[in-house]
Amino acid sequence: MSAPTLRPPAPAVPSRSVPAPLRPSGLTWTVLRLHRAALLAWVAALLVAGAVLTWMYVIAPDAGVAGGPCAIPPVDGLPDCATVDAMTTDDLYDAGLDLIATALSYLMVPVAAWAGAALIGRELEDGTAQLAWTQSVTPVRWLATKLAVPAVLLTAGTAAVVLLHVGVRRDGNGNLLGPWYDSDIYLSIGPTAAAYGLAGLALGALAGLVLRKALPAAGAAFAVTLALSHLMQALRPSLWPTTTITGRTALDLPPDVLVLEHGVVTSDGRRIGNDLACVGSETQAQLRACMKNSRLSDFWATVHPESHFWPLQLVESGVLLAVAGAAAAASFTLLRRRTA
C-alpha cells in the first residue's frame, strides 16, 4: 500500500477587489440632483430657444422678401405684390424673435419665484436644510453652493441664447427687427439679460430666507422682481447722459434714435418742450414760413442715439449686479444670525 503523496498547498492568490464605480458626489451634485426638474426644464427651454432662433435664421431671407418692397407688375428685380401679400414668413419671423425677446426680458421673474420657493423656502420649511447643517455642511457653505450652482447655469445659458439672438438679428431684415430701444429687444441683446437673471436669483433666495415658506417666498419674490423690472425701465433713459440735437436735424431724426423730448425755441429765447410745430414741413421755404408764423427761432430734441446702447447696457447691468450682490450679502448675514 503506497503512502499518499503530500503536496504543499498552493500559495494563496491575493483577491483583486473590483473598484466601485465612480459616482458624482458632493454638495454641488446634491443641489443638481435635488433640483433636477428645474435643471431639465432649463435645458429644455434652452433647446427650444436655440431651435426657434435657428429657424428664424433660416427663414430670414424669405421674411425680408415678404416684408420688403414690391411692384405691379414686377420690375427692376422687385417681386409681384400679389405674391408678396400672400407670404406670411415675415409674420412668423416677427413672432419668433418677439417670443425670444419677451422670454429673456422677463426671465428674472420666474427665476426669483423658483429661488424663493424651491431653492430656499421649501428646504427651510421642510427642515431638510437644518438636517444638512447637522452633517458636515455648514450653513454658509450650503447657501453659497445653493446660489453658485444655479448662477453659473443661468449665466451660461442666458449668454448663449443672447449671443445666438444677436447673430440672428444681425443677419435679418432691418425693417423687421424693431428699434434697439424697444424694452424687450433691449433686454434680450445685451448683458442685462444675464444681470436680471442673477438679480432675480439673489432676491428670490433672500425672500426664501426671510419668509422660510415656499409659497409666500415665491409670491414676494415675484412681486419684488416685477416691480424692479418696471422701475429700471422707467430709470433707463437717465442712466447715461443724453444728446441734444438742434436745427433742422431735430425735425428729421433717424428711426434708430430714441427721442425723449422734442421742442422748439421761440423768438424770445424760451424753450418749449414736446412742441411738434413745423414737423411736417417738407421744403426749406415751408419751414421758414412755419417758423415765421409760429415765431420760432430753432428746434431741439433730446435723444439717445444708437451709440448709447452699450453705455446704457453696462450701467444698467452694474446696477442690477449691485442689487444682486446686496441681496446675497443680506442673505448670508441673515443666515449667520439665525444659525449662530
Side-chain angles (χ1 to χ4, degrees):
M1 183 175 181
S2 60
T5 304
L6 299 178
R7 296 180 179 179
V13 178
S15 61
R16 295 181 179 179
S17 58
V18 179
L22 296 177
R23 295 181 179 179
S25 59
L27 190 54
T28 300
W29 174 248
T30 301
V31 172
L32 292 174
R33 184 176 57 185
L34 184 62
H35 301 285
R36 57 183 175 273
L39 176 62
L40 293 176
W42 177 238
V43 172
L46 294 178
L47 292 176
V48 170
V52 171
L53 289 173
T54 302
W55 185 28
M56 295 305 101
Y57 179 82
V58 172
I59 68 174
D62 292 337
V65 174
C70 60
I72 302 176
V75 293
D76 297 332
L78 295 178
D80 181 68
C81 287
T83 303
V84 171
D85 291 340
M87 299 175 67
T88 59
T89 313
D90 56 335
D91 294 332
L92 293 174
Y93 187 77
D94 283 341
L97 291 184
D98 287 345
L99 175 65
I100 299 300
T102 303
L104 284 172
S105 62
Y106 285 99
L107 176 65
M108 171 178 64
V109 177
V111 166
W114 170 78
L119 187 67
I120 302 296
R122 183 181 301 165
E123 290 205 33
L124 293 175
E125 185 177 7
D126 295 342
T128 54
Q130 292 85 340
L131 178 62
W133 301 341
T134 62
Q135 309 300 319
S136 58
V137 179
T138 63
V140 172
R141 182 170 169 240
W142 171 84
L143 180 58
T145 308
K146 283 283 187 179
L147 291 176
V149 174
V152 171
L153 296 175
L154 188 63
T155 303
T158 304
V161 176
V162 167
L163 290 175
L164 186 56
H165 189 205
V166 171
V168 172
R169 288 179 57 85
R170 184 173 298 166
D171 292 335
N173 189 320
N175 296 326
L176 301 174
L177 297 178
W180 64 269
Y181 50 81
D182 178 82
S183 182
D184 286 355
I185 296 174
Y186 171 85
L187 294 178
S188 63
I189 57 175
T192 52
Y196 269 101
L198 293 176
L201 176 66
L203 290 171
L206 179 59
L209 283 166
V210 170
L211 299 176
R212 309 183 72 175
K213 292 184 180 295
L215 288 180
F222 182 94
V224 169
T225 50
L226 192 61
L228 176 62
S229 176
H230 289 294
L231 176 62
M232 293 304 300
Q233 184 175 348
L235 295 177
R236 186 171 300 141
S238 61
L239 295 178
W240 191 255
T242 57
T243 298
T244 300
I245 299 175
T246 59
R248 176 64 187 265
T249 308
L251 296 179
D252 189 20
L253 295 169
D256 61 351
V257 170
L258 170 60
V259 181
L260 302 177
E261 194 174 10
H262 186 283
V264 297
V265 181
T266 62
S267 56
D268 58 358
R270 290 186 300 113
R271 275 197 170 196
I272 303 176
N274 298 320
D275 190 323
L276 301 179
C278 304
V279 169
S281 303
E282 297 181 358
T283 65
Q284 287 290 347
Q286 291 176 340
L287 178 60
R288 285 194 296 269
C290 179
M291 293 179 66
K292 182 178 180 180
N293 294 334
S294 303
R295 297 182 179 180
L296 303 178
S297 63
D298 202 358
F299 306 94
W300 58 273
T302 302
V303 303
H304 275 304
E306 191 173 7
S307 59
H308 288 187
F309 170 78
W310 277 109
L312 287 169
Q313 282 273 333
L314 295 177
V315 172
E316 186 167 354
S317 298
V319 172
L320 292 167
L321 292 178
V323 171
S331 298
F332 280 103
T333 301
L334 180 61
L335 183 63
R336 287 192 184 97
R337 289 181 178 179
R338 286 184 174 175
T339 57

